[in-house]
């Protein structure tokens, strides 16, 4: 500590939750599971480095699907 610093509790008093963990306080419960893990839902293009969300029923994002359509038309 610096020579002119003062701990917060010296100015404002000790907190009421000093020895309690709020996550484990009396009466608290664990959150229910949110559902089954469905895997990574991101585009597989560019060696799986694209972060776009998959379009429904495909393994690619809309941007890469459009790019593939342009390349197949041209």
């Amino acid at each position: 500590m610096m020579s002119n610093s003062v701990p917060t509790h010296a100015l404002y008093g000790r907190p009421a939750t000093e020895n309690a963990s709020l996550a484990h306080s009396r009466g608290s419960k664990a959150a229910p599971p949110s559902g089954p893990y469905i895997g990574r839902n991101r585009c597989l293009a560019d060696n799986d480095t694209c972060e776009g969300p998959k379009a429904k029923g495909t393994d690619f994002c809309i941007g890469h699907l459009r790019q593939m359509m342009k390349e197949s038309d041209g």
Side-chain angles (χ1 to χ4, degrees):
M1 264 176 30
M2 296 176 66
S3 61
N4 64 347
S5 67
V6 178
T8 304
H9 64 78
L11 301 173
Y12 302 107
R14 296 233 178 241
T17 58
E18 182 179 309
N19 294 322
S21 170
L22 296 179
H24 300 291
S25 60
R26 197 173 325 133
S28 66
K29 299 177 186 172
S34 60
Y37 178 70
I38 57 172
R40 187 172 184 270
N41 194 27
R42 296 291 171 195
C43 178
L44 299 179
D46 297 332
N47 293 325
D48 203 20
T49 59
C50 178
E51 287 296 320
K54 285 182 187 177
K56 261 188 183 170
T58 70
D59 287 331
F60 301 100
C61 65
I62 288 293
H64 281 107
L65 287 173
R66 288 182 179 152
Q67 181 183 20
M68 287 185 262
M69 291 295 288
K70 283 182 182 179
E71 290 172 359
S72 67
D73 289 343

